[in-house]
Amino acid sequence: MSDRVSPFQYGGSVPPHRVVIATTRTGKTAEEMTMPAQAIVFDLDGVLIDSEPVWEEVRRAYVAERGGRWRADTQERLMGMSTVEWAAYIADELVDGVTADEVAYEVVDRMSQRYEDELPLLPGAESAVRRMAEYRPLGLSSSSPRALIDMVLGQIGVVGLFRATVSTEEVDQGKPAPDGYLTVAAQLEVPAGSCIAIEDSTNGLRSAHAAEMTVIAIPRPDNPPSADALALAAHVADNLDEITPELAEVIHS
């Protein structure tokens, strides 16, 4: 097994730096509803990189190699889960005789090798990040493990443009719970209701909306969000070229 990346670099399945936050909020204040956006928060998988097909291929192969049971709804269930959550799901529901830590280590190691071979960067990703970084402070809330977040942003060359990045393995609950987005807002020191989030998936859209952020959806054709989740978005974009300061001003004013 390669020693490139461990999903649990802290040495266990529960991070010691796990952030505990309140997930119940009352609603946007009148000031939040009228002021310009104070921060832009990107998702990673499906927004900046076309990684969901890679995740499915890698996890599906892992399950098949061990005689497991990949179900029709498995990929949809796994999208948005934190590393701890999806590894436990695979170990408990799909494959016999493995622990969640073993699942996570092997799958994330394979993902890191795939990214080293070829990063599935989506068109316009780097330009969108740089464009929005000139407009407002940037954050990122991702279901990917910390090691892969840092690896991907480093490969794109934009790691220094993000003032706050959060993996859902660092909070209590993954998406669709709002924990990751609320934590990013707290680290940026801005109200969550004054942020614009950019998401693609059902669970991601629900997560950002539950944090009371204004949401831009960029649906992926191969994994489109549900209609009810898409309805939570203030704007549905076709691609990253639409993500501009002008659009932010229109949807959050």
Side-chain angles (χ1 to χ4, degrees), residues 49-209:
I49 56 173
D50 189 18
S51 54
E52 294 298 354
V54 185
W55 276 107
E56 180 173 6
E57 183 179 333
V58 167
R59 290 189 289 212
R60 186 188 284 268
Y62 176 87
V63 170
E65 288 168 9
R66 285 153 181 77
R69 308 161 296 278
W70 189 269
R71 299 166 182 163
D73 65 344
T74 294
Q75 178 63 8
E76 183 179 356
R77 284 177 175 270
L78 297 180
M79 289 177 68
M81 286 186 180
S82 68
T83 306
V84 172
E85 291 167 339
W86 63 252
Y89 179 82
I90 290 174
D92 294 344
E93 302 292 335
L94 306 183
V95 178
D96 297 325
V98 295
T99 67
D101 282 1
E102 290 169 341
V103 172
Y105 191 96
E106 179 67 22
V107 169
V108 173
D109 184 67
R110 294 186 186 191
M111 287 296 298
S112 71
Q113 293 179 53
R114 293 288 295 270
Y115 287 172
E116 285 182 358
D117 292 340
E118 183 179 4
L119 187 68
L121 189 66
L122 282 164
E126 182 180 351
S127 296
V129 169
R130 294 188 181 281
R131 181 167 59 247
M132 299 312 287
E134 293 179 356
Y135 170 64
R136 290 290 186 269
L138 297 188
L140 182 139
S141 175
S142 174
S143 298
S144 280
R146 166 58 59 187
L148 291 185
I149 292 173
D150 293 345
M151 178 182 186
V152 169
L153 296 183
Q155 283 188 242
I156 300 173
V158 297
V159 65
L161 299 181
F162 286 88
R163 297 192 188 179
T165 62
V166 171
S167 165
T168 54
E169 70 182 12
E170 298 164 354
V171 296
D172 271 357
Q173 297 183 80
K175 301 173 184 181
D179 300 33
Y181 279 106
L182 293 177
T183 302
V184 169
Q187 291 182 2
L188 290 170
E189 299 183 334
V190 299
S194 69
C195 297
I196 294 175
I198 304 166
E199 268 287 359
D200 68 300
S201 68
T202 293
N203 284 340
L205 292 166
R206 289 174 175 161
S207 174
H209 186 264

Side-chain angles (χ1 to χ4, degrees), residues 28 192-198 208 212-216 234-235 251-252:
K28 290 187 180 182
S194 69
C195 297
I196 294 175
I198 304 166
E212 297 184 356
M213 294 188 178
T214 299
V215 188
I216 297 173
H235 178 81
I251 68 171
H252 198 289

